Amino acid sequence: MSLQEIITEKLTADLTPTALEVIDDGAQHVGHASNTGKGYFTVNIVSEKFSDQNTVKRHRMVYAALGDLMQDEIHALSIKAKAPNE
Amino acid sequence: MSTETLIKQQIADNPILLYMKGTPDFPQCGFSGQAVQILRACGIDEFTHVNILENPEIRATLPIVANWPTFPQLYIDGELIGGSDIMLEMYENGELKTLLAEKNA
Protein backbone atom coordinates (compact mmCIF):
# COMPACT_ATOMS: atom_id res chain seq x y z
CA MET A 1 0.00 0.00 0.00
CA SER A 2 1.37 3.45 -0.87
CA LEU A 3 1.77 6.13 1.77
CA GLN A 4 -0.98 8.06 0.02
CA GLU A 5 -3.34 5.09 0.47
CA ILE A 6 -2.33 4.65 4.12
CA ILE A 7 -3.04 8.33 4.83
CA THR A 8 -6.41 8.04 3.10
CA GLU A 9 -7.28 4.94 5.11
CA LYS A 10 -6.32 6.44 8.48
CA LEU A 11 -8.19 9.69 7.88
CA THR A 12 -11.25 7.82 6.66
CA ALA A 13 -11.28 5.56 9.71
CA ASP A 14 -10.78 8.34 12.25
CA LEU A 15 -12.65 11.33 10.88
CA THR A 16 -15.38 9.73 8.70
CA PRO A 17 -15.02 12.48 6.07
CA THR A 18 -17.78 13.34 3.63
CA ALA A 19 -15.08 14.41 1.16
CA LEU A 20 -11.40 13.57 1.15
CA GLU A 21 -8.57 14.22 -1.25
CA VAL A 22 -4.97 13.21 -0.52
CA ILE A 23 -2.47 14.61 -3.01
CA ASP A 24 1.20 13.56 -3.20
CA ASP A 25 3.23 16.77 -3.63
CA GLY A 26 6.58 14.98 -3.48
CA ALA A 27 7.59 15.84 -7.04
CA GLN A 28 7.50 19.58 -6.26
CA HIS A 29 10.12 19.24 -3.54
CA VAL A 30 12.78 17.02 -5.11
CA GLY A 31 16.26 18.38 -4.41
CA HIS A 32 15.24 20.79 -1.65
CA ALA A 33 17.88 21.17 1.07
CA SER A 34 15.61 19.88 3.80
CA ASN A 35 14.08 17.11 1.73
CA THR A 36 15.07 13.96 3.57
CA GLY A 37 13.13 11.72 1.25
CA LYS A 38 10.03 11.85 3.42
CA GLY A 39 6.63 12.61 2.01
CA TYR A 40 4.99 15.88 1.10
CA PHE A 41 1.21 15.75 0.94
CA THR A 42 -1.82 17.97 0.67
CA VAL A 43 -5.03 16.89 2.38
CA ASN A 44 -8.38 18.42 1.54
CA ILE A 45 -10.91 17.04 3.97
CA VAL A 46 -14.53 17.75 4.89
CA SER A 47 -15.92 16.19 8.05
CA GLU A 48 -18.83 16.76 10.39
CA LYS A 49 -16.33 16.33 13.24
CA PHE A 50 -14.77 19.71 12.36
CA SER A 51 -17.97 21.61 13.18
CA ASP A 52 -17.40 24.14 15.98
CA GLN A 53 -13.64 23.48 15.99
CA ASN A 54 -11.11 26.18 15.15
CA THR A 55 -8.39 25.65 12.56
CA VAL A 56 -5.68 24.67 15.04
CA LYS A 57 -7.94 22.01 16.58
CA ARG A 58 -8.89 20.69 13.14
CA HIS A 59 -5.26 20.34 12.15
CA ARG A 60 -4.51 18.60 15.45
CA MET A 61 -7.32 16.12 14.74
CA VAL A 62 -5.77 15.34 11.34
CA TYR A 63 -2.31 14.96 12.89
CA ALA A 64 -3.73 12.74 15.65
CA ALA A 65 -5.42 10.49 13.08
CA LEU A 66 -2.09 10.03 11.28
CA GLY A 67 -0.22 9.26 14.52
CA ASP A 68 3.36 8.07 14.04
CA LEU A 69 3.28 8.75 10.31
CA MET A 70 3.89 12.43 11.12
CA GLN A 71 7.18 11.56 12.84
CA ASP A 72 8.35 8.80 10.59
CA GLU A 73 7.01 9.16 7.07
CA ILE A 74 5.63 12.62 6.44
CA HIS A 75 7.81 15.70 6.14
CA ALA A 76 5.08 18.20 5.42
CA LEU A 77 1.34 18.10 5.28
CA SER A 78 -0.72 20.94 3.91
CA ILE A 79 -4.22 20.72 5.36
CA LYS A 80 -7.51 22.26 4.32
CA ALA A 81 -10.09 21.08 6.84
CA LYS A 82 -13.72 22.17 6.50
CA ALA A 83 -17.02 21.29 8.08
CA PRO A 84 -19.81 20.27 5.64
CA ASN A 85 -21.68 23.60 5.90
CA GLU A 86 -18.61 25.75 5.09
CA MET B 1 16.73 24.00 32.88
CA SER B 2 14.85 21.27 31.09
CA THR B 3 14.10 21.74 27.40
CA GLU B 4 10.39 21.78 28.15
CA THR B 5 10.84 24.61 30.69
CA LEU B 6 13.02 26.52 28.20
CA ILE B 7 10.36 26.20 25.49
CA LYS B 8 7.58 27.35 27.81
CA GLN B 9 9.69 30.32 28.84
CA GLN B 10 10.44 31.25 25.21
CA ILE B 11 6.74 31.08 24.35
CA ALA B 12 5.77 33.14 27.41
CA ASP B 13 8.48 35.78 26.99
CA ASN B 14 8.25 36.54 23.26
CA PRO B 15 5.06 38.14 21.91
CA ILE B 16 5.81 37.06 18.34
CA LEU B 17 7.83 33.87 18.14
CA LEU B 18 8.59 31.70 15.14
CA TYR B 19 10.15 28.27 15.48
CA MET B 20 11.66 27.62 12.07
CA LYS B 21 14.27 25.78 10.04
CA GLY B 22 17.09 28.23 9.38
CA THR B 23 16.94 31.98 9.99
CA PRO B 24 14.63 34.68 8.61
CA ASP B 25 17.30 35.74 6.09
CA PHE B 26 18.42 32.20 5.32
CA PRO B 27 15.49 29.84 5.77
CA GLN B 28 16.38 26.19 5.21
CA CYS B 29 12.91 25.04 4.26
CA GLY B 30 10.34 26.50 1.89
CA PHE B 31 7.59 26.42 4.49
CA SER B 32 9.72 28.31 7.04
CA GLY B 33 10.65 30.84 4.34
CA GLN B 34 6.99 31.31 3.50
CA ALA B 35 6.18 31.92 7.19
CA VAL B 36 8.80 34.71 7.34
CA GLN B 37 7.48 36.27 4.13
CA ILE B 38 3.94 36.28 5.50
CA LEU B 39 5.02 38.01 8.72
CA ARG B 40 6.92 40.61 6.69
CA ALA B 41 3.92 41.11 4.41
CA CYS B 42 1.93 41.89 7.56
CA GLY B 43 4.46 44.62 8.38
CA ILE B 44 6.30 42.60 11.02
CA ASP B 45 10.06 42.87 10.59
CA GLU B 46 10.98 42.39 14.23
CA PHE B 47 10.10 39.04 15.67
CA THR B 48 11.87 36.38 17.67
CA HIS B 49 12.92 33.24 15.88
CA VAL B 50 14.39 29.97 17.07
CA ASN B 51 16.35 27.97 14.49
CA ILE B 52 15.43 24.39 15.35
CA LEU B 53 18.18 23.02 13.12
CA GLU B 54 20.68 24.45 15.62
CA ASN B 55 18.63 23.37 18.64
CA PRO B 56 18.04 19.63 18.29
CA GLU B 57 16.57 19.31 21.79
CA ILE B 58 13.93 21.91 21.00
CA ARG B 59 13.28 20.27 17.65
CA ALA B 60 12.65 16.97 19.42
CA THR B 61 10.67 18.32 22.38
CA LEU B 62 8.50 21.11 20.97
CA PRO B 63 6.22 18.82 18.92
CA ILE B 64 5.33 16.95 22.13
CA VAL B 65 4.92 20.09 24.27
CA ALA B 66 2.88 21.85 21.58
CA ASN B 67 0.96 18.78 20.41
CA TRP B 68 1.93 19.90 16.91
CA PRO B 69 4.25 17.74 14.81
CA THR B 70 5.67 20.06 12.15
CA PHE B 71 7.67 23.27 11.67
CA PRO B 72 7.40 26.22 11.33
CA GLN B 73 5.25 27.06 14.37
CA LEU B 74 4.09 30.62 15.01
CA TYR B 75 3.21 31.79 18.52
CA ILE B 76 1.55 35.12 19.25
CA ASP B 77 1.16 36.15 22.89
CA GLY B 78 1.88 32.65 24.11
CA GLU B 79 -0.62 30.94 21.87
CA LEU B 80 0.05 28.60 18.96
CA ILE B 81 -1.36 30.18 15.81
CA GLY B 82 -0.31 27.32 13.56
CA GLY B 83 2.04 26.30 10.79
CA SER B 84 2.64 27.82 7.39
CA ASP B 85 -0.66 26.81 5.80
CA ILE B 86 -2.74 28.24 8.65
CA MET B 87 -0.61 31.39 8.43
CA LEU B 88 -1.26 31.60 4.69
CA GLU B 89 -5.00 31.08 5.16
CA MET B 90 -5.10 33.76 7.90
CA TYR B 91 -3.00 36.09 5.77
CA GLU B 92 -5.31 35.71 2.78
CA ASN B 93 -8.47 36.35 4.78
CA GLY B 94 -6.87 39.28 6.66
CA GLU B 95 -7.12 37.71 10.13
CA LEU B 96 -3.38 37.58 10.70
CA LYS B 97 -2.81 41.20 9.82
CA THR B 98 -5.62 42.22 12.18
CA LEU B 99 -4.20 40.09 14.97
CA LEU B 100 -0.71 41.53 14.50
CA ALA B 101 -1.97 45.11 14.10
CA GLU B 102 -3.73 44.83 17.48
CA LYS B 103 -0.40 43.89 18.99
CA ASN B 104 1.43 46.86 17.53
CA ALA B 105 -1.30 49.35 18.43
Side-chain angles (χ1 to χ4, degrees):
Chain A
M1 210 191 302
S2 73
L3 190 48
Q4 196 171 0
E5 288 165 337
I6 296 169
I7 292 170
T8 304
E9 193 166 89
K10 282 182 180 281
L11 292 175
T12 303
D14 225 49
L15 297 169
T16 52
T18 53
L20 174 64
E21 191 179 21
V22 178
I23 303 157
D24 187 342
D25 297 326
Q28 291 174 29
H29 298 276
V30 171
H32 284 193
S34 63
N35 189 343
T36 54
K38 293 201 285 184
Y40 290 77
F41 293 91
T42 294
V43 168
N44 295 318
I45 182 167
V46 180
S47 168
E48 184 58 47
K49 294 189 177 182
F50 294 139
S51 297
D52 302 321
Q53 305 285 348
N54 69 24
T55 312
V56 169
K57 285 195 186 133
R58 292 175 184 190
H59 284 225
R60 281 197 176 122
M61 288 162 76
V62 171
Y63 292 140
L66 298 176
D68 290 343
L69 286 182
M70 287 309 301
Q71 272 76 49
D72 302 335
E73 308 286 344
I74 300 171
H75 172 77
L77 190 66
S78 180
I79 301 168
K80 280 206 170 56
K82 302 282 180 205
N85 58 346
E86 292 171 25
Chain B
M1 194 190 293
S2 77
T3 305
E4 185 172 342
T5 309
L6 172 67
I7 289 169
K8 286 183 173 164
Q9 196 172 344
Q10 286 173 337
I11 293 172
D13 289 350
N14 296 287
I16 303 174
L17 173 63
L18 186 68
Y19 289 96
M20 64 180 291
K21 293 181 177 170
T23 64
D25 289 331
F26 295 99
Q28 297 294 313
C29 166
F31 299 98
S32 288
Q34 179 182 288
V36 171
Q37 284 181 351
I38 290 170
L39 285 175
R40 288 182 173 158
C42 290
I44 304 296
D45 293 316
E46 295 293 320
F47 58 90
T48 311
H49 78 275
V50 174
N51 179 359
I52 58 148
L53 297 178
E54 289 184 348
N55 294 277
E57 291 88 5
I58 291 177
R59 184 182 190 170
T61 306
L62 180 59
I64 302 160
V65 173
N67 188 22
W68 194 267
T70 55
F71 297 96
Q73 293 187 20
L74 175 69
Y75 291 80
I76 298 179
D77 287 336
E79 195 182 336
L80 174 65
I81 301 302
S84 62
D85 50 346
I86 293 185
M87 288 179 69
L88 184 62
E89 195 177 313
M90 290 179 70
Y91 172 65
E92 286 173 346
N93 67 21
E95 265 180 79
L96 189 62
K97 204 165 184 177
T98 308
L99 188 65
L100 290 163
E102 281 167 7
K103 287 205 52 53
N104 281 349

